[in-house]
């Protein structure tokens, strides 16, 4: 089951809620199962304590930003001091490799990016990388080839992780922006239903299916009666609210296969798999629904409908012209009616 997060802050809070206990448990196990130096014991205890406090802050959903930056400081200090300790007390003295220290390095860099964002995260990661590189270079003359190789692999991997995270976040942003603009290219900004562009795409698809697969359909064209009067009397803000309310009413009562959108102004279109009498009944159902609804700020309103079925050889223009003529008949015969053409 996927959880939808409305903001990046909610996503980060969820990450911290899951991540901090796992890291804390790993630190506790490390402290219990290994004989630690006084330095390592102090580092572990500090991290265990502060990660626990940070988790509690995330749980309460308070002071999360403070927890982020304080953890950023602690993790950065831990990263640099631990590397220095390993280099100074182990690699430059007895030789060997970095061991399990390297395991947490990708997560540390990810945390930098998570807290600081893409650009600042990259700059900060490079800053920490340079500090650790200076330490490695300074003590390289006292190391065995195995130790030098281990540090070289560590720093090479460090750079790769930084670059991968930087470009991955940029790619994610590019895809997100593309999907955002794509979505808004097909969605009416006021009513949040399909716009004319999307309706054209739908109609082309329906026409193709009707011609090649003999799948009939109908379109129901309708608009709000005397909508100009609503704007003149109550103002355009109320008029916009009426359009949004009507869109919500229709959207909430669509059946399988129905496609609904705003054609423009107060005009809407419904593309349905229902045809003939069933299409008429569907239009009549929505007509009554509008008639019986009380619109906030504008009161009772009505709508007129024009209905037409697909006919062999139709294109978008011919379909819409017939539906528009049906709507015109409804308007000129007293409004608040459904006419089939």
């Amino acid at each position: 089951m996927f959880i939808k997060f409305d903001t990046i802050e909610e996503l980060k809070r969820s990450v911290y809620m899951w991540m901090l206990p796992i890291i804390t448990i790993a630190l506790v196990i490390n402290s219990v199962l290994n004989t630690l130096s006084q330095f390592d014991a102090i580092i572990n205890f500090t991290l265990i304590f502060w990660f626990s406090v940070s988790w509690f802050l995330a749980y309460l959903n308070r002071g999360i930003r403070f927890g982020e930056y304080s953890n950023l400081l602690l993790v950065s200090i831990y990263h640099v001091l631990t590397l220095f300790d390993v280099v100074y007390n182990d690699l430059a003295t007895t030789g060997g490799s970095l061991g399990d220290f390297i395991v947490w390095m990708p997560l540390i860099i990810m945390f930098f990016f998570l807290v600081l964002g893409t650009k600042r995260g990259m700059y900060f990661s490079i800053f920490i990388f340079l500090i650790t590189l200076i330490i490695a270079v300074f003590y390289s003359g006292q190391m065995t080839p195995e130790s030098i190789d281990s540090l070289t692999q560590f720093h090479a991997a460090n750079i790769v992780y930084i670059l991968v995270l930087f470009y991955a976040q940029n790619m994610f942003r590019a895809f997100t922006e593309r999907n955002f603009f794509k979505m808004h290219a097909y969605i009416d900004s006021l009513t949040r239903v399909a716009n004319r562009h999307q309706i054209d795409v739908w109609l082309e698809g329906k026409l193709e299916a009707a011609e090649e697969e003999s799948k009939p359909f109908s379109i129901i064209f309708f608009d709000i009666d005397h909508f100009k009067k609503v704007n003149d009397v109550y103002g355009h803000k109320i008029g916009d609210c009426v359009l949004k309310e009507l869109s919500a009413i229709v959207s909430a009562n669509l059946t399988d296969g129905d496609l609904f959108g705003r054609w423009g102004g107060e005009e809407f279109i419904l593309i349905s798999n229902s045809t003939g009498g069933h299409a008429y009944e569907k239009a009549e159902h929505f007509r009554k629904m509008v008639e019986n609804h009380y619109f906030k700020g504008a009161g009772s309103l009505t709508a007129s409908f024009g209905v037409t079925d697909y006919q062999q050889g139709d294109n978008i223009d011919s379909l819409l012209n017939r539906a528009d003529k049906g709507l015109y008949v409804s308007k000129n015969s007293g409004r608040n009616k459904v006419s089939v053409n």
Side-chain angles (χ1 to χ4, degrees), residues 57-97:
L57 290 174
Y59 175 77
L60 295 177
N61 200 16
R62 300 183 63 180
I64 294 178
R65 202 61 179 162
F66 168 73
E68 281 186 319
Y69 279 105
S70 58
N71 280 315
L72 180 71
L73 178 63
L74 279 175
V75 168
S76 301
I77 293 173
Y78 161 80
H79 184 66
V80 172
L81 290 184
T82 302
L83 180 78
F84 174 78
D85 181 60
V86 171
V87 169
Y88 180 75
N89 291 313
D90 296 326
L91 301 188
T93 305
T94 59
S97 61

Side-chain angles (χ1 to χ4, degrees), residues 14 31 37 41 97 125 132 141 146 154 159 167 179 182 201 226 249 265 272 290 296 304-305 333:
S14 179
S31 300
S37 65
S97 61
S125 298
T132 59
E146 180 187 2
F154 169 81
I159 283 292
Y167 285 111
N179 289 337
K182 182 178 179 181
V201 173
H226 303 295
I249 294 168
S272 174
V290 174
K296 295 176 183 178
S304 297
F305 293 72
S333 58

Side-chain angles (χ1 to χ4, degrees), residues 1-5 14 18:
M1 180 179 178
F2 293 97
I3 301 175
K4 181 180 179 180
F5 299 99
S14 179
W18 285 99

Side-chain angles (χ1 to χ4, degrees), residues 23 40 42 55 135 167 171 229 243 294 316 322 333:
I23 298 174
D40 289 333
I42 292 173
W55 182 90
I135 294 171
Y167 285 111
M171 285 190 292
K229 184 178 178 180
L243 295 175
Y294 184 87
I316 292 177
R322 284 203 310 276
S333 58

Side-chain angles (χ1 to χ4, degrees), residues 228-239:
K228 183 178 184 302
K229 184 178 178 180
V230 174
N231 283 327
D232 292 342
V233 174
Y234 302 106
H236 288 279
K237 186 174 182 180
I238 293 298

Side-chain angles (χ1 to χ4, degrees), residues 59-307:
Y59 175 77
L60 295 177
N61 200 16
R62 300 183 63 180
I64 294 178
R65 202 61 179 162
F66 168 73
E68 281 186 319
Y69 279 105
S70 58
N71 280 315
L72 180 71
L73 178 63
L74 279 175
V75 168
S76 301
I77 293 173
Y78 161 80
H79 184 66
V80 172
L81 290 184
T82 302
L83 180 78
F84 174 78
D85 181 60
V86 171
V87 169
Y88 180 75
N89 291 313
D90 296 326
L91 301 188
T93 305
T94 59
S97 61
L98 288 171
D100 61 2
F101 172 74
I102 200 171
V103 172
W104 293 101
M105 188 257 291
L107 182 60
I108 290 172
I109 299 173
M110 288 175 60
F111 180 63
F112 293 162
F113 278 87
L114 187 64
V115 174
L116 299 174
T118 305
K119 187 176 292 186
R120 291 193 301 160
M122 182 187 69
Y123 291 153
F124 188 77
S125 298
I126 292 175
F127 171 71
I128 297 297
F129 165 82
L130 291 175
I131 294 176
T132 59
L133 181 62
I134 291 170
I135 294 171
V137 171
F138 185 81
Y139 287 98
S140 61
Q142 305 173 35
M143 296 183 199
T144 64
E146 180 187 2
S147 298
I148 293 175
D149 177 62
S150 179
L151 275 174
T152 301
Q153 298 301 323
F154 169 81
H155 285 95
N158 206 320
I159 283 292
V160 170
Y161 286 130
I162 292 172
L163 292 174
V164 165
L165 283 169
F166 175 74
Y167 285 111
Q169 290 206 2
N170 277 291
M171 285 190 292
F172 176 75
R173 180 181 291 107
F175 281 117
T176 301
E177 289 176 352
R178 187 195 66 175
N179 289 337
F180 176 83
F181 288 120
K182 182 178 179 181
M183 180 186 72
H184 284 272
Y186 292 91
I187 297 294
D188 179 63
S189 59
L190 175 66
T191 60
R192 312 305 299 163
V193 297
N195 62 13
R196 191 164 179 165
H197 188 185
Q198 178 66 79
I199 294 167
D200 283 338
V201 173
W202 283 341
L203 286 173
E204 288 174 2
K206 284 289 187 181
L207 286 169
E208 185 177 340
E211 292 171 4
E212 297 179 0
E213 304 172 34
S214 299
K215 291 183 177 180
F217 69 98
S218 65
I219 62 172
I220 301 171
F221 204 39
F222 64 98
D223 70 7
I224 302 170
D225 295 327
H226 303 295
F227 185 69
K228 183 178 184 302
K229 184 178 178 180
V230 174
N231 283 327
D232 292 342
V233 174
Y234 302 106
H236 288 279
K237 186 174 182 180
I238 293 298
D240 288 347
C241 290
V242 167
L243 295 175
K244 290 190 285 187
E245 209 165 330
L246 175 64
S247 299
I249 294 168
V250 176
S251 297
N253 289 275
L254 297 175
T255 55
D256 289 343
D258 287 344
L259 302 171
F260 170 61
R262 183 186 181 193
W263 186 249
E266 72 272 24
E267 296 177 327
F268 294 85
I269 191 169
L270 177 64
I271 306 171
S272 174
N273 292 329
S274 302
T275 57
H278 294 296
Y280 174 85
E281 290 173 4
K282 185 183 288 284
E284 183 65 17
H285 171 71
F286 283 112
R287 184 196 67 78
K288 291 178 180 178
M289 191 173 293
V290 174
E291 182 183 34
N292 295 326
H293 184 78
Y294 184 87
F295 290 87
K296 295 176 183 178
S300 297
L301 298 172
T302 60
S304 297
F305 293 72
V307 182

